[in-house]
Coordinates of all heavy atoms in Angstrom, one line a residue:
G1539 N 50.4 58.5 150.3 CA 49.8 59.8 150.8 C 48.7 60.3 149.9 O 48.7 59.9 148.7
M1540 N 47.8 61.1 150.4 CA 46.7 61.6 149.6 C 47.2 62.7 148.6 O 46.4 63.0 147.7 CB 45.6 62.2 150.5 CG 44.9 61.2 151.3 SD 43.5 62.0 152.2 CE 42.3 62.3 150.9
G1541 N 48.4 63.2 148.8 CA 48.8 64.3 147.9 C 47.9 65.5 148.0 O 47.4 65.8 149.1
Q1542 N 47.7 66.1 146.9 CA 46.9 67.4 146.9 C 45.5 67.2 147.3 O 44.9 68.1 147.8 CB 46.9 68.0 145.4 CG 48.3 68.2 144.9 CD 48.3 69.5 144.1 OE1 47.3 70.1 143.9 NE2 49.5 69.9 143.6
D1543 N 45.0 65.9 147.3 CA 43.6 65.7 147.8 C 43.5 66.0 149.3 O 42.4 66.1 149.8 CB 43.2 64.3 147.5 CG 43.0 64.0 146.0 OD1 43.0 65.0 145.2 OD2 43.0 62.8 145.6
A1544 N 44.7 66.0 149.9 CA 44.6 66.2 151.4 C 44.4 67.7 151.7 O 44.1 68.1 152.9 CB 45.9 65.7 152.1
F1545 N 44.7 68.6 150.7 CA 44.8 70.0 151.1 C 43.5 70.5 151.6 O 43.5 71.3 152.6 CB 45.2 70.9 149.8 CG 46.6 70.7 149.3 CD1 47.5 69.8 150.0 CD2 47.1 71.4 148.3 CE1 48.8 69.7 149.5 CE2 48.4 71.3 147.8 CZ 49.2 70.4 148.5
S1546 N 42.4 70.2 151.0 CA 41.1 70.7 151.5 C 40.7 70.2 152.9 O 40.2 70.9 153.7 CB 40.0 70.5 150.5 OG 39.8 69.1 150.3
I1547 N 41.1 68.9 153.1 CA 40.9 68.3 154.5 C 41.7 69.1 155.5 O 41.2 69.5 156.6 CB 41.3 66.8 154.5 CG1 40.4 66.1 153.5 CG2 41.3 66.3 155.8 CD1 40.8 64.6 153.3
V1548 N 42.9 69.3 155.2 CA 43.8 70.0 156.2 C 43.3 71.4 156.4 O 43.2 71.9 157.6 CB 45.2 70.1 155.6 CG1 46.1 71.1 156.4 CG2 45.9 68.7 155.6
R1549 N 42.9 72.1 155.3 CA 42.3 73.5 155.5 C 41.1 73.5 156.5 O 41.0 74.3 157.4 CB 41.9 74.1 154.2 CG 43.0 74.8 153.5 CD 42.6 75.7 152.3 NE 43.7 75.8 151.5 CZ 43.9 75.0 150.4 NH1 43.0 74.3 149.9 NH2 45.0 75.2 149.7
E1550 N 40.3 72.5 156.3 CA 39.1 72.5 157.1 C 39.4 72.2 158.6 O 38.8 72.8 159.5 CB 38.1 71.4 156.5 CG 36.8 71.4 157.2 CD 35.7 70.6 156.4 OE1 35.8 70.4 155.2 OE2 34.8 70.1 157.2
V1551 N 40.3 71.2 158.8 CA 40.6 70.8 160.1 C 41.3 71.9 160.9 O 41.2 72.2 162.0 CB 41.3 69.5 160.1 CG1 41.9 69.1 161.6 CG2 40.4 68.4 159.7
K1552 N 42.2 72.6 160.1 CA 42.9 73.7 160.7 C 42.0 74.8 161.1 O 42.1 75.4 162.2 CB 44.0 74.3 159.7 CG 45.3 73.5 159.6 CD 46.3 74.2 158.7 CE 46.7 75.6 159.3 NZ 47.7 76.2 158.5
A1553 N 41.0 75.1 160.2 CA 40.1 76.2 160.5 C 39.3 75.9 161.8 O 39.0 76.7 162.6 CB 39.2 76.4 159.3
R1554 N 38.9 74.6 161.8 CA 38.0 74.1 162.9 C 38.7 74.1 164.3 O 38.2 74.5 165.3 CB 37.6 72.7 162.6 CG 36.4 72.2 163.3 CD 35.9 71.0 162.8 NE 36.1 69.9 163.8 CZ 35.7 68.7 163.6 NH1 35.1 68.4 162.5 NH2 35.9 67.8 164.5
T1555 N 40.0 73.7 164.3 CA 40.7 73.5 165.5 C 41.6 74.8 165.9 O 42.0 74.9 167.0 CB 41.7 72.3 165.5 OG1 42.6 72.5 164.4 CG2 40.9 71.0 165.3
G1556 N 42.0 75.5 164.9 CA 43.0 76.6 165.1 C 44.4 76.1 165.4 O 45.2 76.9 165.8
L1557 N 44.6 74.8 165.2 CA 46.0 74.3 165.5 C 46.9 74.7 164.4 O 46.6 74.8 163.2 CB 46.0 72.8 165.6 CG 45.3 72.2 166.9 CD1 45.1 70.7 166.7 CD2 46.1 72.5 168.1
Q1558 N 48.2 74.9 164.7 CA 49.3 75.0 163.8 C 49.5 73.6 163.1 O 49.2 72.6 163.7 CB 50.6 75.5 164.5 CG 50.4 76.8 165.2 CD 50.1 78.0 164.2 OE1 51.0 78.2 163.3 NE2 49.1 78.7 164.4
F1559 N 50.1 73.6 161.9 CA 50.2 72.4 161.2 C 51.6 72.2 160.6 O 52.1 73.1 160.0 CB 49.2 72.4 160.0 CG 49.1 71.2 159.1 CD1 48.9 69.9 159.7 CD2 49.4 71.3 157.8 CE1 48.9 68.8 158.9 CE2 49.4 70.2 156.9 CZ 49.1 69.0 157.5
V1560 N 52.2 71.0 160.9 CA 53.5 70.6 160.3 C 53.3 69.4 159.4 O 52.6 68.5 159.7 CB 54.5 70.3 161.4 CG1 54.0 69.2 162.3 CG2 55.9 70.0 160.8
S1561 N 53.9 69.5 158.2 CA 53.8 68.4 157.2 C 55.0 68.3 156.4 O 55.7 69.3 156.1 CB 52.5 68.6 156.4 OG 52.2 67.4 155.7
E1562 N 55.3 67.1 156.0 CA 56.6 66.8 155.2 C 56.5 67.3 153.7 O 55.5 67.0 153.1 CB 56.9 65.3 155.2 CG 58.2 65.0 154.5 CD 58.8 63.7 154.7 OE1 58.2 62.9 155.4 OE2 59.8 63.3 154.0
I1563 N 57.5 68.1 153.4 CA 57.6 68.5 152.0 C 58.7 67.5 151.4 O 59.7 67.3 152.0 CB 58.0 70.0 151.9 CG1 58.3 70.4 150.4 CG2 59.3 70.3 152.7 CD1 58.3 71.8 150.2
T1564 N 58.3 66.9 150.2 CA 59.2 65.9 149.6 C 60.0 66.4 148.4 O 60.8 65.6 147.9 CB 58.4 64.6 149.3 OG1 57.3 65.0 148.4 CG2 57.8 64.0 150.6

Side-chain angles (χ1 to χ4, degrees):
M1540 290 185 75
Q1542 300 217 357
D1543 292 344
F1545 290 2
S1546 58
I1547 295 174
V1548 168
R1549 270 193 208 100
E1550 187 167 335
V1551 172
K1552 279 185 66 179
R1554 200 170 111 172
T1555 60
L1557 287 170
Q1558 301 293 304
F1559 178 60
V1560 58
S1561 194
E1562 181 170 356
I1563 178 164
T1564 56

